[in-house]
Amino acid sequence: MTHARRSRGLSQSRSLAFVAGAGLLVVADVVEGPIVPWLAGAGVLALLLFAGLVVLHRRSRRSEAWYASLAGLCDEGVARMERRWDDLPPDSTEPPSADHLFSRDLDLFGRASVMQLLGMVGTWQGRSRLRGWLLDGASPDEVASRQDAVLELAAMPEFREVWTATARGVPDGADDATDAVVRWAGSGGRHSLPAAAVWIARVVPVVTLALVTVELVRPGGQPLWILPLAISAWALRRWRTPVAEVFAGAGVGESALSRRLDLVLQAERLDPASARLREVRDALGRGGVTASRGLRRLRQWVALAEVRLSQLHFPLNLLFLWDFHVAGGLEGWRGKWGTGVAGWIDGLAELDALAALGSLAHENPDWTLPRFTAEPAIHGEGLGHPLLPPDGCVRNTVTVGPPGTILVVTGSNMSGKSTLLRAIGVNAVLARAGSAVCARSMSLPDLAIATCMRVEDSLADGTSLFMAELERLKAVVEASSGRPSGGPIPLFLLDEILHGTNTAERQVAARTVLGTLVTSESIGAVSTHDLELTDVPELREATVAVHFEEQVSRASDGTPRVRFDYRLRPGPATSTNALTLLEVVGLRPPDSAPETDADGPAGASAPEPSPRSG
């Protein structure tokens, strides 16, 4: 029986039990005779059965929701592997500013992005950690440490699915509330409640109970118990602000931090082989005191504090100064456990981010973990674009570097030049984060990435396309020329330099920019339509030319056809296709006729469906 069917069955059964119980009691009330006790007893039993079924139904609904969440994660995994972006949860990560050197160009955030591909991350803290890894990268030693953990987690699909389902079960807003609780926990010891409030909470309830007991044993005397009740009422009003601050700091009403207990328990049960995962587990149990023990205690105090949400709160508070005792308990918890809370949350964020990278490696078994070397060059064999569907991604072998050389990618429109540059950049970002990459093998040095690919004008800022691209190129040149001694090697990726101006000026400007970059300690690649760029005298020795090409044919009715194979070839391109594509969309140039070149007719049709280049 499925959980949904069981839940529906229990729902129907509890309804029948309630109706039967209520009906039997009503009948027992209106009939007479010896059958009445039997009817009443049967009605009570039916209502007791109803109460039991309510408990079972609640458990069943929780199980139903849990397994539905696991099934949803499996569906998401399939959608990620097939790159069906609209079937995946949207990426809610805050992107960096628009002037970041590579984030927007390489599709790190938003729809159809690297972050959406890393969709198994379950907490806000984990997403924030991953965001930092993608944007900032890490040293080769740090990357090696992460890679060991990623490889181990990739082989633990059940743990990762349960982890993510548990993390996603935390209610909306609890992540922000958790950050607030972390700040409260680390802010100090027992200082919010003044000593007078503590002593009143200890003494006045005892006096109240004693005087009430005397009144019950010897009624008729003076109601002296009113005096301590008045003191209690005054104290509750006098110190309501510090009490409220304690409750707010501890996340009472949201149980934000205590809801992390299930995640902590899963992390503490790990028996990892990698040093990185052992560090995460040990961070949750330093000094022999486990995070789960501390969070269990916090959960107990929060449960007592949430009595404030019930109708019992007023009498309990007035008689026993309930809020003072609970606030004191929460502050005592902070004094004992508070300094470790930030480390607990940091450990959970680390494990969440590593689990997401492990899921990426598991879902793409033909990817590899890259090697960082001292050689100042990128070597990628079978390199593809990570965001393309596996069955539509053509992979190529690419080398970028060493310094003093520039990979110049030429080819006609739509042939795959920009995709190749982005494949290099995205895989470099993933490698610096500690992730597997879309390649059969990949080696690279420690890198600092800067790109110029998607440049837009700004009407609001009064910036033209040409000036916007100049500003971007200036930032790339500065980033590529300022390498500190022993620092990361700058990697630049430039797509169609200065396409916002005329051909003659563009060629001069491109030679100027590339001439500056080739004398720096950077490595990089540039795509261009300017075939002459590969034969410029001052750049000839530094240029490593590669190209994409297309196959062009015509149908019997003269309709042009073009097909791209997205295979990278040595040397510069030998043909263009702009006029052909103009004809494809029905804008045949005047007095044009089909032309041929060495590879066949130059005319083309609407491009046939074909895998995209990596």
Side-chain angles (χ1 to χ4, degrees), residues 142-216:
E142 172 71 10
V143 167
S145 174
R146 292 179 193 171
Q147 286 181 344
D148 291 340
V150 168
L151 194 62
E152 186 171 0
L153 287 167
M156 302 167 59
E158 184 176 351
F159 169 82
R160 289 185 284 100
E161 290 172 1
V162 171
W163 172 273
T164 304
T166 303
R168 289 188 180 182
V170 176
D172 293 341
D175 286 310
D176 293 336
T178 298
D179 291 341
V181 175
V182 171
R183 290 193 295 271
W184 167 78
S187 63
R190 307 176 62 174
H191 300 298
S192 295
L193 288 178
V198 174
W199 281 106
I200 287 176
R202 291 174 180 175
V203 174
V204 171
V206 175
V207 174
T208 302
L209 289 177
L211 293 176
V212 168
T213 302
V214 170
E215 177 69 19
L216 292 174

Side-chain angles (χ1 to χ4, degrees), residues 132-313:
W133 289 358
L134 293 175
L135 295 177
D136 302 331
S139 67
D141 290 341
E142 172 71 10
V143 167
S145 174
R146 292 179 193 171
Q147 286 181 344
D148 291 340
V150 168
L151 194 62
E152 186 171 0
L153 287 167
M156 302 167 59
E158 184 176 351
F159 169 82
R160 289 185 284 100
E161 290 172 1
V162 171
W163 172 273
T164 304
T166 303
R168 289 188 180 182
V170 176
D172 293 341
D175 286 310
D176 293 336
T178 298
D179 291 341
V181 175
V182 171
R183 290 193 295 271
W184 167 78
S187 63
R190 307 176 62 174
H191 300 298
S192 295
L193 288 178
V198 174
W199 281 106
I200 287 176
R202 291 174 180 175
V203 174
V204 171
V206 175
V207 174
T208 302
L209 289 177
L211 293 176
V212 168
T213 302
V214 170
E215 177 69 19
L216 292 174
V217 173
R218 296 180 179 178
Q222 296 293 327
L224 300 178
W225 49 270
I226 292 178
L227 179 60
L229 283 183
I231 295 174
S232 295
W234 172 83
L236 290 171
R237 182 177 179 82
R238 173 67 178 80
W239 289 296
R240 63 186 177 191
T241 298
V243 168
E245 289 175 352
V246 172
F247 286 164
V252 174
E254 295 161 333
S255 307
L257 188 56
S258 64
R259 290 181 184 274
R260 295 287 184 261
L261 175 58
D262 293 334
L263 291 176
V264 168
L265 289 172
Q266 290 182 49
E268 288 179 351
R269 294 190 194 107
L270 278 175
D271 185 19
S274 66
R276 190 55 169 268
L277 290 181
R278 287 199 300 271
E279 290 175 5
V280 172
R281 184 198 58 191
D282 294 345
L284 301 174
R286 286 199 175 99
V289 180
T290 62
S292 60
R293 181 180 172 189
L295 290 180
R296 280 196 183 97
R297 188 61 177 159
L298 175 63
R299 178 177 284 183
Q300 293 169 358
W301 281 115
V302 167
L304 293 174
E306 288 178 346
V307 169
R308 303 172 79 227
L309 307 177
S310 74
Q311 295 179 345
L312 293 175
H313 176 250

Side-chain angles (χ1 to χ4, degrees), residues 513-554:
V513 171
L514 295 182
T516 302
L517 290 172
V518 80
T519 59
S520 67
E521 296 184 70
S522 61
I523 61 176
V526 56
S527 69
T528 181
H529 280 100
D530 294 326
L531 304 182
E532 298 84 357
L533 195 61
T534 61
D535 199 36
V536 175
E538 60 266 33
L539 296 176
R540 189 175 298 149
E541 296 299 321
T543 296
V544 179
V546 292
H547 74 280
F548 293 102
E549 63 183 37
E550 71 281 352
Q551 292 76 45
V552 181
S553 63
R554 286 184 178 270

Side-chain angles (χ1 to χ4, degrees), residues 323-364:
D323 285 355
F324 285 14
H325 291 289
V326 176
L330 286 170
E331 295 219 304
W333 181 91
R334 179 172 63 168
K336 181 177 181 180
W337 308 87
T339 55
V341 172
W344 301 345
I345 298 302
D346 185 73
L348 294 180
E350 183 87 357
L351 182 54
D352 200 16
L354 290 171
L357 295 181
S359 295
L360 185 66
H362 175 78
E363 292 169 355
N364 298 275

Side-chain angles (χ1 to χ4, degrees), residues 41-57:
V44 171
L45 289 176
L47 292 179
L48 290 175
L49 176 62
F50 164 75
L53 290 172
V54 167
V55 174
L56 290 176
H57 187 219

